[in-house]
Amino acid sequence: MQYVNLEEIQLIEIPKITAPDGRGNLSVVEKDVLPYQIKRVYYLYDVPSDSTRGGHAHRELQQFLIAVSGSFSVVLDNGKDRKTFLLNRPNKGLLIPSGVWRELENFSAGAVCLSLVSEEYDEEDYIREYADFKSVKRS
Ligand code: TYD
């Protein structure tokens, strides 16, 4: 599994269209924002503030996360280093490449995590044990 440089992972700005007369904003993820075609969309909500989600890596799946409401933190781990991102704006997203361990935590009340992913759901694509992730990374 390829080494992923966490320094190259940054929040990506999603274009925002502001209605001219105070009627709010609209953000759109269009095809050139992501390096893959979206195969599936799902969202996390009603997550208790003391819960951690994620806790796995994917062999192939790439994922774009957006805090469409509220906020949460995403800790990324490439097997060597860790980097934490705060997602708290609906017009910023985090693109997580394959082969990265992720943990989502510190969900605010009402937080909604929208997830735009590159693959169908496939349990075989998950690495759910951190020790397995480390050994896949070493090999
Ligand atoms: P999981 O991907 O482990 O969630 P998270 O990373 O948010 O903590 O999925 C949680 C559960 O939901 C797990 O039992 C698998 C199931 N699941 C599906 O059935 N279909 C899906 O598309 C997803 C993403 C998860």
Side-chain angles (χ1 to χ4, degrees):
M1 197 178 264
Q2 264 194 328
Y3 173 75
V4 174
N5 184 355
L6 294 182
E7 293 308 315
E8 288 174 5
I9 301 182
Q10 305 290 343
L11 291 179
I12 294 173
E13 182 114 9
I14 305 166
K16 178 165 85 174
I17 300 160
T18 301
D21 43 5
R23 288 180 300 124
N25 298 322
L26 178 158
S27 281
V28 54
V29 180
E30 286 184 294
K31 68 172 191 283
D32 50 357
V33 173
L34 301 179
Y36 56 84
Q37 275 206 326
I38 298 164
K39 289 234 180 93
R40 195 157 51 99
V41 174
Y42 62 88
Y43 38 97
L44 305 177
Y45 56 98
D46 291 347
V47 181
S49 60
D50 58 354
S51 284
T52 299
R53 301 298 302 249
H56 60 254
H58 285 281
R59 297 174 196 279
E60 298 293 338
L61 180 143
Q62 302 172 70
Q63 182 166 36
F64 191 58
L65 299 180
I66 306 163
V68 290
S69 180
S71 65
F72 53 88
S73 299
V74 183
V75 182
L76 297 184
D77 180 330
N78 63 3
K80 207 163 158 258
D81 308 304
R82 291 193 150 213
K83 190 170 172 185
T84 301
F85 297 85
L86 175 66
L87 273 73
N88 62 356
R89 294 295 306 151
N91 68 323
K92 297 260 163 98
L94 182 66
L95 179 60
I96 309 178
S98 53
V100 177
W101 187 268
R102 84 289 311 276
E103 278 163 22
L104 280 62
E105 56 194 26
N106 296 327
F107 282 79
S108 71
V112 179
C113 171
L114 182 65
S115 185
L116 311 177
V117 303
S118 65
E119 309 296 333
E120 310 283 346
Y121 174 65
D122 176 9
E123 196 55 43
E124 295 291 302
D125 190 60
Y126 283 75
I127 304 172
R128 290 198 181 271
E129 293 294 332
Y130 189 72
D132 295 344
F133 172 68
K134 290 288 273 188
S135 76
V136 169
K137 282 304 206 184
R138 270 196 300 270
S139 62

